[in-house]
Amino acid sequence: MTARDQRTALGVLCFVLSIYLLTMAVRHPVFIPDPAPQGNSGYELKIDPNTAPWEMLALLPDVGETRARQIISYRVQWATVHAHDAAFKTPEDLMRVKGFGAVMSAKMRPHLIFPKPDSATTRAS
């Protein structure tokens, strides 16, 4: 058997194997989902409801677009009366928004961040 015959035989074998694998892939497709992250990935999204746009607020558990827009609406109304004061200082403050209760507040708590209150500076005597 010459080198040319060997190359031809190898080419035919590769072609037949390719056809077989392609046929098997078409006849028996396999879906492999992405694996779920294991444990804490080290990154957790924290959202400030005083500054976040509705698109970010809608990502919070059980919030969605409608409730996110309600938060924004309440925040805007609050700002007209209390210009330099944050509308939400604790998760419980969100219960002032229509449709938010203690359960919703508890679900959102781990995903929220709030402005730190200004600490009074004291002078040493």
Side-chain angles (χ1 to χ4, degrees), residues 42-58:
Y43 175 76
E44 189 173 323
L45 180 64
K46 297 269 188 179
I47 297 173
D48 183 351
N50 294 295
T51 59
W54 74 264
E55 295 90 350
M56 290 294 291
L57 292 169

Side-chain angles (χ1 to χ4, degrees), residues 54-76:
W54 74 264
E55 295 90 350
M56 290 294 291
L57 292 169
L59 298 174
L60 294 169
D62 297 333
V63 174
E65 180 179 349
T66 303
R67 287 185 174 147
R69 289 184 183 272
Q70 288 173 334
I71 292 171
I72 300 296
S73 177
Y74 181 86
R75 189 171 74 193
V76 169

Side-chain angles (χ1 to χ4, degrees), residues 65-116:
E65 180 179 349
T66 303
R67 287 185 174 147
R69 289 184 183 272
Q70 288 173 334
I71 292 171
I72 300 296
S73 177
Y74 181 86
R75 189 171 74 193
V76 169
Q77 289 174 354
W78 179 272
T80 59
V81 178
H82 310 280
H84 300 290
D85 194 20
F88 309 108
K89 296 179 184 117
T90 67
E92 290 74 25
D93 290 345
L94 284 163
M95 291 192 290
R96 295 187 303 227
V97 178
K98 183 179 177 183
F100 283 81
V103 173
M104 178 71 75
S105 175
K107 284 183 181 180
M108 293 171 55
R109 179 183 300 273
H111 307 285
L112 296 175
I113 188 169
F114 295 93
K116 302 222 184 300

Side-chain angles (χ1 to χ4, degrees), residues 3 8-9 17 20 24-25 27 34-35 39-40 54 62 87 102 118 124:
T8 304
L17 182 60
Y20 172 75
M24 292 304 290
R27 292 178 74 200
D34 290 336
N40 189 355
W54 74 264
D62 297 333
D118 293 333

